Amino acid sequence: MKDLTIYHNPRCSKSRQTLQIIKDHGIQPVVVEYLKVPLKKSELENISRLLNKRPKDFVRKNEADFKENNFKEIIENDIELVNEMVKFPKIIERPIVISGNKAVIGRPPENVLKLLNS
């Protein structure tokens, strides 16, 4: 059985669907509700590394917090953007699923199958 962690927002339909796919495969993942338990800078940096994406590639650019705080001005500055992602977790794309040294974004939810079938 795989060890999986899902960074989850229960109010998000894609996040709920991704979690259900994981459970349907008989896996009970570690569920981190990142809006309740804020992520640390080091966790976001690790997620970025595991996704093989820059922070700008897993930030929600249409989220109100992103627009209202004018984060588009710092979008190319990974360090500053990660700092803002810590302060404003709603701008983090969801869900993110990690298994070992791999991670995927559950958009679409079926992306999680890349981890489950590997």
Side-chain angles (χ1 to χ4, degrees):
M1 183 175 287
K2 293 184 179 276
D3 289 329
L4 275 100
T5 299
I6 181 170
Y7 292 90
H8 179 60
N9 178 349
R11 297 186 65 195
C12 171
S13 64
K14 300 294 184 202
S15 198
R16 290 192 308 270
Q17 290 169 13
T18 302
L19 180 58
Q20 190 60 52
I21 290 170
I22 294 167
K23 288 181 175 181
D24 288 349
H25 277 76
I27 298 170
Q28 186 58 48
V30 173
V31 177
V32 177
E33 289 189 34
Y34 65 93
L35 295 179
K36 291 181 181 177
V37 181
L39 299 176
K40 297 179 182 124
K41 181 179 174 184
S42 60
E43 290 174 293
L44 281 168
E45 291 167 342
N46 186 53
I47 288 169
S48 179
R49 184 181 58 77
L50 294 175
L51 286 170
N52 197 29
K53 295 181 181 292
R54 291 183 59 200
K56 72 175 187 174
D57 298 324
F58 62 101
V59 73
R60 298 172 59 84
K61 296 170 186 76
N62 291 323
E63 188 65 47
D65 282 347
F66 185 88
K67 292 178 178 179
E68 291 167 6
N69 290 286
N70 225 11
F71 292 145
K72 68 181 176 187
E73 292 183 5
I74 63 163
I75 197 80
E76 294 299 331
N77 185 322
D78 293 351
I79 294 169
E80 283 188 48
L81 189 55
V82 165
N83 288 335
E84 298 305 336
M85 291 166 86
V86 169
K87 293 180 206 169
F88 297 92
K90 284 185 181 179
I91 68 171
I92 301 169
E93 190 58 85
R94 60 186 181 256
I96 297 171
V97 183
I98 296 175
S99 177
N101 62 355
K102 296 179 183 176
V104 296
I105 297 172
R107 288 188 174 268
E110 293 78 21
N111 277 350
V112 75
L113 295 173
K114 295 174 188 172
L115 294 178
L116 299 176
N117 296 330
S118 65

